[in-house]
Each structure stands twice: as structure tokens, then as C-alpha cells.
Amino acid sequence: MKIVTIIGNRPHFIKSSLISKCLAQTDVKEITVHTGQHYDNNLSGIFFKEFKLKNPNYKIKNTSFNQGHQTGIMMTGIEGILLKEKPDYVIVYGDTNSTLAGALSAIKLHVPIIHIESGLRSYNKNMPEEINRICTDHMSHALLCPTKNSVKNLKKEGLQGIFTGDITYDIFKSHESFIMSKNANKGNYYFCTIHREENTNQKRLKIIFEMLEVLDHKIIFPVHPRTKKYLNFKLPKIIDIIEPLSYKDTLVHIKDSVKVITDSGGIQREAYYLKKPCITLRQQTEYPETHVGNWNILAKNSQEFFDAVRNMKFSKHREYFGDGKAYEKIIKIILSLK
Ligand code: UD1
């Protein structure tokens, strides 16, 4: 059996690491394609090193353009690779432009698609990720779902998903003891990341920074290049802008923070795994599970943000994301497709 795996962004490199390592122990031949969507060292190379990923078999030359242009360049590259490699299946992860490009290229050539992290929905079609995940799910042959809720979401659309658990929880579990043994050594701080399209314009970022600057502790803010482009206004001293962090450093910083403030899907979940209160600066979330028991609060405006900063009272913390062995179920399903 031959599989082509499409990866292209920071979260893909992390998620694919475990599945690729497991596939290497089977008789499946995996060919990896890096779409070039993330090209900076601290969004790409650093994770290949940290997770000891083998160099991709193919790397598409891509520097970010507009959404359509970027996706088109990826598709042109992926199509040529699929025609040459003739795989039995294509694996795509998550909901990024690389995911969509991989799925579209595969389905046009009648190559069945395995979608890992299927079925998540924000029900906001203004988000590029929502379009990417809906389209990818409707093109995929195997829909592998991180949560039971994502299986239900698919059912509403007439699709049948399989609950496997969340691969990001598996990866967290395998690093947990290391993360718990390290300290960020930065005193009291909020840990903040912002990179979603809806938050990355100057007007919105100014509003976010006005909220952050009146907090009672400093804010450690690893900045995504997309966000950095808009930070050409005077930044409050309380905000410590740093370069993007590695996976382990990110998790250690989350663990040692007072609270997490984010718009990232990955960090919402990682804060939950670490039982760290999280405030999500978005209108919706794909992870309603993290809101049960108030571990994660959606702050749609300044009032909701300050209410969340002051009063977060938590209750039940549950294992919504599987048993830390999603990879075993995923590999079993892949092998059963032979
Ligand atoms: C993408 C995903 C998002 C995911 C995120 C993880 C889509 C639609 N969005 O968002 O779901 O959470 O990755 O980080 O696919 N840039 C660089 N260097 C790079 C990569 C990007 O400078 O290595 C800059 C470019 O100016 C680019 C901007 O960041 O225009 C946005 O990059 P892009 O890859 O389009 O989306 P992300 O915001 O990274």
C-alpha cells in the first residue's frame, strides 16, 4: 500500500509526526509532500528537528500569496506528484489551505482521501478553515474524528465519521512528563497567541492590545508572521513580543501561565489538556467540549473578555479527546483499507 501524506503548516508537522512514525513500522510506503505553505524556520524547520521528522520527499516552492493563488500553486505541485507516485490513498490533516489543496488534487485523480481531524465545525463560513474542512470532509473516503461531537457534526451533513480521539492529545501525553518537569521561569504572566484572519487587521489588533494592556500581569506573546505585519503601532510595555516557540516551549509556557488568551484551535485544546484556564478571542469555537466546566471562555467583546479575566470558576474536567491512543485506532483503520 502506498500513501501520499500532505503537510504544509506548523500544526501539520506536529500532528503527522506520530502517524508517520507508526506507518514507518508497517509495510505501508509513505511519501510526504510539504506544500510550502509555512516556510519560515520557526514555523517549519524547527518542528522537523523537534519531532525528528524525515525530510519531505517533495517540497513545493511556495511563498504566501492570496488564499486562492496559494492553494492553486499547491494543487499544481500536488497533482504532478500524485500522477507520478500513483498512491492508493492520500492523507490530509485538519483544515488549512494545504489540506484543501491535497484533497482537491486527490479527488480529481480519483485517489481516495483519509481525513484526520475530520468533522470539526465553527459554523462560520467567513473562516477560510471552515470552508477547507467542510469541502475536505465531503471529498474524503475515511473521516477520522477527534471528538464524539465531530462525529455528530458529520452525521448532520449525511456523512459517517469514526471517532478515534485527538492526535494532539496523544502527542501531549507523550510529552507530558517532560513538560511538567520544566519551568518557563518568567514569573506571573498571561500567555497570548493571535493569528486568525478575523483578528489580524490593524483595527482589531489595536482593540485586542487595549484589552491586554490593562491586565494585572505581563503578557508573553509569541508572534505569528501574519500578525507581526500589522504591529506597526506603539505597543504597550506590558506585552512581551517574542518569536514563535517550539512545541515543547509552547506547552511549558502554557503550563506556567496564569491564563491563556488565544484564537488558536491547537492552543485551546492544549490549555485544556494542561487544565489551564483559557480565554478564546473568537466568535465561535470548534471545541465546545473545552467550554464545559468553564475551562475555556469565548470572549466576543471587551466586556466578555474582562468578565472572563476576573471570574473563571471551573468545574468538571473530562477526557473528551480520547485516551491518548488515537494513533493506534488511526493506524488500524488505515491498514484495514488495504
Ligand atoms: C494557517 C492556517 C491556520 C493555522 C495556521 C497555523 C489556513 C487558511 N490557515 O494560517 O488554520 O492555524 O496556519 O499557524 O491555511 N507567513 C510567513 N512565513 C511563513 C508562513 C506564513 O511570513 O512561513 C506569513 C505570510 O505573510 C502569510 C501569512 O503569514 O501571508 C499567513 O500565512 P498562511 O499560511 O496563509 O496562514 P496562517 O495565518 O499561517
mmCIF file of all heavy atoms in Angstrom, residues 19-63:
data_model
loop_
_atom_site.group_PDB
_atom_site.id
_atom_site.type_symbol
_atom_site.label_atom_id
_atom_site.label_comp_id
_atom_site.label_asym_id
_atom_site.label_seq_id
_atom_site.Cartn_x
_atom_site.Cartn_y
_atom_site.Cartn_z
ATOM 1 N N ILE A 19 1.880 9.716 13.356
ATOM 2 C CA ILE A 19 1.328 8.778 12.366
ATOM 3 C C ILE A 19 2.440 8.310 11.415
ATOM 4 O O ILE A 19 2.546 7.127 11.103
ATOM 5 C CB ILE A 19 0.162 9.442 11.579
ATOM 6 C CG1 ILE A 19 -0.980 9.818 12.529
ATOM 7 C CG2 ILE A 19 -0.348 8.551 10.447
ATOM 8 C CD1 ILE A 19 -1.617 8.672 13.272
ATOM 9 N N SER A 20 3.294 9.243 11.004
ATOM 10 C CA SER A 20 4.385 8.858 10.086
ATOM 11 C C SER A 20 5.308 7.856 10.759
ATOM 12 O O SER A 20 5.747 6.885 10.124
ATOM 13 C CB SER A 20 5.179 10.086 9.634
ATOM 14 O OG SER A 20 4.372 10.851 8.789
ATOM 15 N N LYS A 21 5.607 8.083 12.045
ATOM 16 C CA LYS A 21 6.485 7.134 12.747
ATOM 17 C C LYS A 21 5.834 5.747 12.820
ATOM 18 O O LYS A 21 6.487 4.731 12.630
ATOM 19 C CB LYS A 21 6.788 7.649 14.159
ATOM 20 C CG LYS A 21 8.105 8.381 14.173
ATOM 21 C CD LYS A 21 8.433 9.051 15.485
ATOM 22 C CE LYS A 21 9.160 10.344 15.179
ATOM 23 N NZ LYS A 21 8.794 11.442 16.032
ATOM 24 N N CYS A 22 4.524 5.724 13.083
ATOM 25 C CA CYS A 22 3.827 4.425 13.161
ATOM 26 C C CYS A 22 3.778 3.763 11.786
ATOM 27 O O CYS A 22 3.980 2.553 11.670
ATOM 28 C CB CYS A 22 2.402 4.607 13.674
ATOM 29 S SG CYS A 22 2.338 5.133 15.381
ATOM 30 N N LEU A 23 3.500 4.555 10.737
ATOM 31 C CA LEU A 23 3.421 3.962 9.391
ATOM 32 C C LEU A 23 4.759 3.366 8.981
ATOM 33 O O LEU A 23 4.811 2.347 8.282
ATOM 34 C CB LEU A 23 2.976 5.017 8.367
ATOM 35 C CG LEU A 23 1.489 5.398 8.387
ATOM 36 C CD1 LEU A 23 1.201 6.487 7.357
ATOM 37 C CD2 LEU A 23 0.583 4.189 8.135
ATOM 38 N N ALA A 24 5.837 3.994 9.457
ATOM 39 C CA ALA A 24 7.189 3.501 9.096
ATOM 40 C C ALA A 24 7.421 2.091 9.644
ATOM 41 O O ALA A 24 8.291 1.378 9.158
ATOM 42 C CB ALA A 24 8.243 4.464 9.620
ATOM 43 N N GLN A 25 6.635 1.704 10.663
ATOM 44 C CA GLN A 25 6.802 0.347 11.221
ATOM 45 C C GLN A 25 5.881 -0.683 10.552
ATOM 46 O O GLN A 25 5.788 -1.824 11.007
ATOM 47 C CB GLN A 25 6.523 0.384 12.727
ATOM 48 C CG GLN A 25 7.661 1.060 13.486
ATOM 49 C CD GLN A 25 7.233 1.553 14.836
ATOM 50 O OE1 GLN A 25 6.282 1.043 15.411
ATOM 51 N NE2 GLN A 25 7.921 2.551 15.341
ATOM 52 N N THR A 26 5.145 -0.259 9.544
ATOM 53 C CA THR A 26 4.270 -1.185 8.825
ATOM 54 C C THR A 26 4.834 -1.374 7.405
ATOM 55 O O THR A 26 5.867 -0.777 7.079
ATOM 56 C CB THR A 26 2.829 -0.625 8.710
ATOM 57 O OG1 THR A 26 2.876 0.515 7.830
ATOM 58 C CG2 THR A 26 2.276 -0.201 10.051
ATOM 59 N N ASP A 27 4.100 -2.135 6.578
ATOM 60 C CA ASP A 27 4.601 -2.263 5.206
ATOM 61 C C ASP A 27 4.007 -1.197 4.276
ATOM 62 O O ASP A 27 4.122 -1.287 3.056
ATOM 63 C CB ASP A 27 4.353 -3.686 4.672
ATOM 64 C CG ASP A 27 2.869 -4.043 4.699
ATOM 65 O OD1 ASP A 27 2.066 -3.211 5.178
ATOM 66 O OD2 ASP A 27 2.514 -5.149 4.229
ATOM 67 N N VAL A 28 3.384 -0.176 4.886
ATOM 68 C CA VAL A 28 2.861 0.929 4.074
ATOM 69 C C VAL A 28 4.031 1.819 3.657
ATOM 70 O O VAL A 28 4.877 2.161 4.478
ATOM 71 C CB VAL A 28 1.847 1.775 4.890
ATOM 72 C CG1 VAL A 28 1.431 3.028 4.130
ATOM 73 C CG2 VAL A 28 0.627 0.941 5.262
ATOM 74 N N LYS A 29 4.049 2.184 2.393
ATOM 75 C CA LYS A 29 5.081 3.124 1.944
ATOM 76 C C LYS A 29 4.480 4.525 1.969
ATOM 77 O O LYS A 29 3.501 4.791 1.281
ATOM 78 C CB LYS A 29 5.529 2.748 0.523
ATOM 79 C CG LYS A 29 6.624 3.653 -0.020
ATOM 80 C CD LYS A 29 7.193 3.080 -1.317
ATOM 81 C CE LYS A 29 8.137 4.027 -2.041
ATOM 82 N NZ LYS A 29 9.231 4.541 -1.267
ATOM 83 N N GLU A 30 5.049 5.376 2.798
ATOM 84 C CA GLU A 30 4.516 6.743 2.903
ATOM 85 C C GLU A 30 5.447 7.738 2.207
ATOM 86 O O GLU A 30 6.646 7.780 2.478
ATOM 87 C CB GLU A 30 4.353 7.162 4.375
ATOM 88 C CG GLU A 30 3.619 8.497 4.483
ATOM 89 C CD GLU A 30 3.651 9.136 5.881
ATOM 90 O OE1 GLU A 30 4.643 8.970 6.595
ATOM 91 O OE2 GLU A 30 2.668 9.819 6.215
ATOM 92 N N ILE A 31 4.850 8.531 1.333
ATOM 93 C CA ILE A 31 5.584 9.604 0.645
ATOM 94 C C ILE A 31 5.048 10.913 1.218
ATOM 95 O O ILE A 31 3.825 11.110 1.263
ATOM 96 C CB ILE A 31 5.272 9.583 -0.881
ATOM 97 C CG1 ILE A 31 5.549 8.210 -1.505
ATOM 98 C CG2 ILE A 31 5.976 10.706 -1.623
ATOM 99 C CD1 ILE A 31 6.988 7.889 -1.718
ATOM 100 N N THR A 32 5.913 11.799 1.679
ATOM 101 C CA THR A 32 5.410 13.048 2.262
ATOM 102 C C THR A 32 5.652 14.229 1.312
ATOM 103 O O THR A 32 6.694 14.328 0.677
ATOM 104 C CB THR A 32 6.068 13.345 3.629
ATOM 105 O OG1 THR A 32 7.483 13.232 3.491
ATOM 106 C CG2 THR A 32 5.593 12.386 4.693
ATOM 107 N N VAL A 33 4.641 15.097 1.284
ATOM 108 C CA VAL A 33 4.717 16.292 0.438
ATOM 109 C C VAL A 33 4.533 17.526 1.319
ATOM 110 O O VAL A 33 3.518 17.650 2.004
ATOM 111 C CB VAL A 33 3.600 16.282 -0.642
ATOM 112 C CG1 VAL A 33 3.652 17.559 -1.486
ATOM 113 C CG2 VAL A 33 3.691 15.044 -1.514
ATOM 114 N N HIS A 34 5.516 18.398 1.319
ATOM 115 C CA HIS A 34 5.424 19.685 2.040
ATOM 116 C C HIS A 34 4.946 20.711 1.015
ATOM 117 O O HIS A 34 5.622 20.947 0.014
ATOM 118 C CB HIS A 34 6.814 20.028 2.571
ATOM 119 C CG HIS A 34 6.891 21.238 3.456
ATOM 120 N ND1 HIS A 34 6.124 22.369 3.266
ATOM 121 C CD2 HIS A 34 7.649 21.496 4.551
ATOM 122 C CE1 HIS A 34 6.410 23.267 4.200
ATOM 123 N NE2 HIS A 34 7.335 22.763 4.999
ATOM 124 N N THR A 35 3.781 21.304 1.281
ATOM 125 C CA THR A 35 3.201 22.222 0.293
ATOM 126 C C THR A 35 3.896 23.576 0.262
ATOM 127 O O THR A 35 3.569 24.414 -0.582
ATOM 128 C CB THR A 35 1.720 22.512 0.619
ATOM 129 O OG1 THR A 35 1.683 23.210 1.881
ATOM 130 C CG2 THR A 35 0.888 21.246 0.694
ATOM 131 N N GLY A 36 4.772 23.822 1.234
ATOM 132 C CA GLY A 36 5.474 25.104 1.277
ATOM 133 C C GLY A 36 4.647 26.226 1.886
ATOM 134 O O GLY A 36 5.079 27.374 1.893
ATOM 135 N N GLN A 37 3.452 25.892 2.424
ATOM 136 C CA GLN A 37 2.618 26.984 2.983
ATOM 137 C C GLN A 37 3.350 27.703 4.106
ATOM 138 O O GLN A 37 3.362 28.923 4.167
ATOM 139 C CB GLN A 37 1.257 26.450 3.468
ATOM 140 C CG GLN A 37 0.342 27.588 3.931
ATOM 141 C CD GLN A 37 -1.061 27.152 4.304
ATOM 142 O OE1 GLN A 37 -1.464 26.012 4.082
ATOM 143 N NE2 GLN A 37 -1.823 28.061 4.873
ATOM 144 N N HIS A 38 3.942 26.963 5.019
ATOM 145 C CA HIS A 38 4.798 27.573 6.045
ATOM 146 C C HIS A 38 6.246 27.303 5.669
ATOM 147 O O HIS A 38 6.645 26.154 5.498
ATOM 148 C CB HIS A 38 4.484 27.014 7.438
ATOM 149 C CG HIS A 38 3.238 27.619 8.023
ATOM 150 N ND1 HIS A 38 2.722 27.236 9.225
ATOM 151 C CD2 HIS A 38 2.429 28.603 7.561
ATOM 152 C CE1 HIS A 38 1.633 27.958 9.481
ATOM 153 N NE2 HIS A 38 1.426 28.783 8.481
ATOM 154 N N TYR A 39 6.983 28.374 5.516
ATOM 155 C CA TYR A 39 8.355 28.250 5.001
ATOM 156 C C TYR A 39 9.384 28.817 5.970
ATOM 157 O O TYR A 39 10.544 28.462 5.917
ATOM 158 C CB TYR A 39 8.463 28.932 3.623
ATOM 159 C CG TYR A 39 7.807 30.300 3.592
ATOM 160 C CD1 TYR A 39 8.499 31.441 3.963
ATOM 161 C CD2 TYR A 39 6.466 30.434 3.236
ATOM 162 C CE1 TYR A 39 7.884 32.687 3.958
ATOM 163 C CE2 TYR A 39 5.845 31.678 3.237
ATOM 164 C CZ TYR A 39 6.558 32.798 3.604
ATOM 165 O OH TYR A 39 5.942 34.020 3.622
ATOM 166 N N ASP A 40 8.975 29.711 6.902
ATOM 167 C CA ASP A 40 9.946 30.251 7.871
ATOM 168 C C ASP A 40 10.468 29.122 8.749
ATOM 169 O O ASP A 40 9.710 28.195 9.077
ATOM 170 C CB ASP A 40 9.269 31.278 8.808
ATOM 171 C CG ASP A 40 9.062 32.620 8.130
ATOM 172 O OD1 ASP A 40 9.529 32.796 6.988
ATOM 173 O OD2 ASP A 40 8.421 33.485 8.758
ATOM 174 N N ASN A 41 11.724 29.250 9.185
ATOM 175 C CA ASN A 41 12.283 28.198 10.039
ATOM 176 C C ASN A 41 11.448 28.003 11.301
ATOM 177 O O ASN A 41 11.150 26.885 11.694
ATOM 178 C CB ASN A 41 13.738 28.522 10.405
ATOM 179 C CG ASN A 41 14.328 27.414 11.251
ATOM 180 O OD1 ASN A 41 14.252 26.240 10.886
ATOM 181 N ND2 ASN A 41 14.875 27.760 12.401
ATOM 182 N N ASN A 42 11.010 29.112 11.922
ATOM 183 C CA ASN A 42 10.298 28.923 13.195
ATOM 184 C C ASN A 42 8.826 28.534 13.038
ATOM 185 O O ASN A 42 8.107 28.366 14.024
ATOM 186 C CB ASN A 42 10.506 30.104 14.162
ATOM 187 C CG ASN A 42 10.103 31.413 13.551
ATOM 188 O OD1 ASN A 42 9.331 31.420 12.588
ATOM 189 N ND2 ASN A 42 10.612 32.515 14.092
ATOM 190 N N LEU A 43 8.377 28.346 11.790
ATOM 191 C CA LEU A 43 7.049 27.751 11.571
ATOM 192 C C LEU A 43 7.166 26.370 10.924
ATOM 193 O O LEU A 43 6.186 25.636 10.838
ATOM 194 C CB LEU A 43 6.198 28.636 10.658
ATOM 195 C CG LEU A 43 5.745 29.999 11.170
ATOM 196 C CD1 LEU A 43 4.736 30.596 10.202
ATOM 197 C CD2 LEU A 43 5.131 29.925 12.555
ATOM 198 N N SER A 44 8.362 26.037 10.443
ATOM 199 C CA SER A 44 8.502 24.777 9.706
ATOM 200 C C SER A 44 9.727 23.977 10.166
ATOM 201 O O SER A 44 9.599 22.998 10.897
ATOM 202 C CB SER A 44 8.569 25.077 8.198
ATOM 203 O OG SER A 44 8.791 23.927 7.458
ATOM 204 N N GLY A 45 10.936 24.437 9.798
ATOM 205 C CA GLY A 45 12.168 23.675 10.059
ATOM 206 C C GLY A 45 12.313 23.248 11.506
ATOM 207 O O GLY A 45 12.690 22.109 11.807
ATOM 208 N N ILE A 46 11.983 24.151 12.421
ATOM 209 C CA ILE A 46 12.139 23.896 13.857
ATOM 210 C C ILE A 46 11.358 22.638 14.283
ATOM 211 O O ILE A 46 11.812 21.856 15.113
ATOM 212 C CB ILE A 46 11.680 25.150 14.647
ATOM 213 C CG1 ILE A 46 12.063 25.084 16.106
ATOM 214 C CG2 ILE A 46 10.245 25.436 14.526
ATOM 215 C CD1 ILE A 46 11.656 26.371 16.875
ATOM 216 N N PHE A 47 10.212 22.389 13.659
ATOM 217 C CA PHE A 47 9.384 21.231 14.037
ATOM 218 C C PHE A 47 9.913 19.932 13.419
ATOM 219 O O PHE A 47 9.772 18.871 14.012
ATOM 220 C CB PHE A 47 7.915 21.461 13.665
ATOM 221 C CG PHE A 47 7.354 22.645 14.393
ATOM 222 C CD1 PHE A 47 7.219 23.867 13.774
ATOM 223 C CD2 PHE A 47 7.030 22.543 15.737
ATOM 224 C CE1 PHE A 47 6.755 24.971 14.464
ATOM 225 C CE2 PHE A 47 6.571 23.644 16.444
ATOM 226 C CZ PHE A 47 6.431 24.854 15.800
ATOM 227 N N PHE A 48 10.524 20.053 12.232
ATOM 228 C CA PHE A 48 11.143 18.862 11.642
ATOM 229 C C PHE A 48 12.246 18.372 12.574
ATOM 230 O O PHE A 48 12.421 17.170 12.790
ATOM 231 C CB PHE A 48 11.685 19.174 10.237
ATOM 232 C CG PHE A 48 10.619 19.070 9.187
ATOM 233 C CD1 PHE A 48 9.697 20.083 9.010
ATOM 234 C CD2 PHE A 48 10.498 17.925 8.414
ATOM 235 C CE1 PHE A 48 8.682 19.974 8.070
ATOM 236 C CE2 PHE A 48 9.495 17.795 7.468
ATOM 237 C CZ PHE A 48 8.582 18.829 7.295
ATOM 238 N N LYS A 49 12.977 19.327 13.161
ATOM 239 C CA LYS A 49 14.062 18.982 14.079
ATOM 240 C C LYS A 49 13.495 18.439 15.385
ATOM 241 O O LYS A 49 13.879 17.379 15.864
ATOM 242 C CB LYS A 49 14.843 20.262 14.385
ATOM 243 C CG LYS A 49 16.323 20.105 14.256
ATOM 244 C CD LYS A 49 16.952 21.430 14.506
ATOM 245 C CE LYS A 49 18.458 21.283 14.509
ATOM 246 N NZ LYS A 49 19.065 22.568 14.649
ATOM 247 N N GLU A 50 12.540 19.177 15.945
ATOM 248 C CA GLU A 50 11.999 18.820 17.274
ATOM 249 C C GLU A 50 11.348 17.428 17.251
ATOM 250 O O GLU A 50 11.479 16.664 18.196
ATOM 251 C CB GLU A 50 10.978 19.886 17.706
ATOM 252 C CG GLU A 50 10.473 19.692 19.115
ATOM 253 C CD GLU A 50 9.562 20.832 19.589
ATOM 254 O OE1 GLU A 50 8.967 21.548 18.756
ATOM 255 O OE2 GLU A 50 9.456 20.995 20.817
ATOM 256 N N PHE A 51 10.636 17.120 16.184
ATOM 257 C CA PHE A 51 9.920 15.834 16.113
ATOM 258 C C PHE A 51 10.679 14.792 15.285
ATOM 259 O O PHE A 51 10.119 13.738 14.974
ATOM 260 C CB PHE A 51 8.503 16.044 15.560
ATOM 261 C CG PHE A 51 7.599 16.730 16.551
ATOM 262 C CD1 PHE A 51 7.444 18.095 16.542
ATOM 263 C CD2 PHE A 51 6.953 15.995 17.533
ATOM 264 C CE1 PHE A 51 6.648 18.738 17.483
ATOM 265 C CE2 PHE A 51 6.153 16.621 18.478
ATOM 266 C CZ PHE A 51 5.996 17.991 18.455
ATOM 267 N N LYS A 52 11.915 15.124 14.955
ATOM 268 C CA LYS A 52 12.776 14.217 14.172
ATOM 269 C C LYS A 52 12.034 13.677 12.943
ATOM 270 O O LYS A 52 12.029 12.468 12.647
ATOM 271 C CB LYS A 52 13.274 13.051 15.035
ATOM 272 C CG LYS A 52 14.135 13.505 16.208
ATOM 273 C CD LYS A 52 14.812 12.312 16.878
ATOM 274 C CE LYS A 52 15.690 12.713 18.030
ATOM 275 N NZ LYS A 52 15.005 13.199 19.230
ATOM 276 N N LEU A 53 11.388 14.574 12.237
ATOM 277 C CA LEU A 53 10.669 14.174 11.012
ATOM 278 C C LEU A 53 11.665 13.988 9.887
ATOM 279 O O LEU A 53 12.619 14.765 9.766
ATOM 280 C CB LEU A 53 9.692 15.282 10.596
ATOM 281 C CG LEU A 53 8.396 15.425 11.376
ATOM 282 C CD1 LEU A 53 7.656 16.680 10.945
ATOM 283 C CD2 LEU A 53 7.527 14.202 11.125
ATOM 284 N N LYS A 54 11.432 12.963 9.071
ATOM 285 C CA LYS A 54 12.329 12.820 7.918
ATOM 286 C C LYS A 54 12.020 13.959 6.938
ATOM 287 O O LYS A 54 10.891 14.481 6.916
ATOM 288 C CB LYS A 54 12.178 11.442 7.286
ATOM 289 C CG LYS A 54 10.847 11.182 6.597
ATOM 290 C CD LYS A 54 10.871 9.830 5.900
ATOM 291 C CE LYS A 54 9.539 9.392 5.374
ATOM 292 N NZ LYS A 54 9.011 9.833 4.157
ATOM 293 N N ASN A 55 13.040 14.326 6.168
ATOM 294 C CA ASN A 55 12.811 15.383 5.186
ATOM 295 C C ASN A 55 11.684 14.961 4.259
ATOM 296 O O ASN A 55 11.586 13.781 3.912
ATOM 297 C CB ASN A 55 14.070 15.629 4.355
ATOM 298 C CG ASN A 55 15.084 16.423 5.139
ATOM 299 O OD1 ASN A 55 14.718 17.185 6.045
ATOM 300 N ND2 ASN A 55 16.348 16.215 4.832
ATOM 301 N N PRO A 56 10.809 15.900 3.851
ATOM 302 C CA PRO A 56 9.720 15.500 2.949
ATOM 303 C C PRO A 56 10.286 14.962 1.635
ATOM 304 O O PRO A 56 11.341 15.407 1.188
ATOM 305 C CB PRO A 56 8.948 16.803 2.717
ATOM 306 C CG PRO A 56 9.828 17.896 3.186
ATOM 307 C CD PRO A 56 10.794 17.319 4.171
ATOM 308 N N ASN A 57 9.572 14.024 1.037
ATOM 309 C CA ASN A 57 10.023 13.510 -0.260
ATOM 310 C C ASN A 57 9.908 14.577 -1.342
ATOM 311 O O ASN A 57 10.683 14.587 -2.293
ATOM 312 C CB ASN A 57 9.184 12.292 -0.669
ATOM 313 C CG ASN A 57 9.346 11.158 0.306
ATOM 314 O OD1 ASN A 57 8.652 11.088 1.310
ATOM 315 N ND2 ASN A 57 10.307 10.281 0.068
ATOM 316 N N TYR A 58 8.905 15.444 -1.175
ATOM 317 C CA TYR A 58 8.730 16.543 -2.132
ATOM 318 C C TYR A 58 8.466 17.828 -1.360
ATOM 319 O O TYR A 58 7.751 17.812 -0.350
ATOM 320 C CB TYR A 58 7.509 16.306 -3.041
ATOM 321 C CG TYR A 58 7.632 15.111 -3.935
ATOM 322 C CD1 TYR A 58 7.155 13.865 -3.532
ATOM 323 C CD2 TYR A 58 8.202 15.233 -5.197
ATOM 324 C CE1 TYR A 58 7.258 12.749 -4.355
ATOM 325 C CE2 TYR A 58 8.296 14.115 -6.041
ATOM 326 C CZ TYR A 58 7.829 12.888 -5.609
ATOM 327 O OH TYR A 58 7.927 11.804 -6.443
ATOM 328 N N LYS A 59 9.019 18.927 -1.850
ATOM 329 C CA LYS A 59 8.718 20.225 -1.245
ATOM 330 C C LYS A 59 8.318 21.192 -2.358
ATOM 331 O O LYS A 59 9.100 21.414 -3.293
ATOM 332 C CB LYS A 59 9.927 20.740 -0.470
ATOM 333 C CG LYS A 59 9.600 21.949 0.341
ATOM 334 C CD LYS A 59 10.563 22.178 1.478
ATOM 335 C CE LYS A 59 10.076 23.378 2.262
ATOM 336 N NZ LYS A 59 10.993 23.847 3.243
ATOM 337 N N ILE A 60 7.119 21.705 -2.261
ATOM 338 C CA ILE A 60 6.628 22.618 -3.297
ATOM 339 C C ILE A 60 7.116 24.023 -2.953
ATOM 340 O O ILE A 60 7.049 24.446 -1.800
ATOM 341 C CB ILE A 60 5.086 22.551 -3.370
ATOM 342 C CG1 ILE A 60 4.662 21.140 -3.785
ATOM 343 C CG2 ILE A 60 4.528 23.607 -4.328
ATOM 344 C CD1 ILE A 60 3.189 20.841 -3.607
ATOM 345 N N LYS A 61 7.592 24.717 -3.968
ATOM 346 C CA LYS A 61 8.080 26.078 -3.726
ATOM 347 C C LYS A 61 6.877 27.010 -3.680
ATOM 348 O O LYS A 61 6.114 27.075 -4.630
ATOM 349 C CB LYS A 61 9.045 26.472 -4.857
ATOM 350 C CG LYS A 61 9.864 27.696 -4.534
ATOM 351 C CD LYS A 61 11.000 27.842 -5.542
ATOM 352 C CE LYS A 61 11.586 29.239 -5.611
ATOM 353 N NZ LYS A 61 11.595 30.043 -4.439
ATOM 354 N N ASN A 62 6.736 27.654 -2.556
ATOM 355 C CA ASN A 62 5.540 28.489 -2.350
ATOM 356 C C ASN A 62 5.890 29.584 -1.375
ATOM 357 O O ASN A 62 6.397 29.312 -0.301
ATOM 358 C CB ASN A 62 4.451 27.591 -1.720
ATOM 359 C CG ASN A 62 3.050 28.061 -1.980
ATOM 360 O OD1 ASN A 62 2.829 29.206 -2.338
ATOM 361 N ND2 ASN A 62 2.092 27.165 -1.803
ATOM 362 N N THR A 63 5.659 30.808 -1.721
ATOM 363 C CA THR A 63 5.714 31.841 -0.681
ATOM 364 C C THR A 63 4.297 32.378 -0.642
ATOM 365 O O THR A 63 3.619 32.406 -1.660
ATOM 366 C CB THR A 63 6.711 32.969 -1.008
ATOM 367 O OG1 THR A 63 6.579 33.286 -2.373
ATOM 368 C CG2 THR A 63 8.139 32.562 -0.705
#
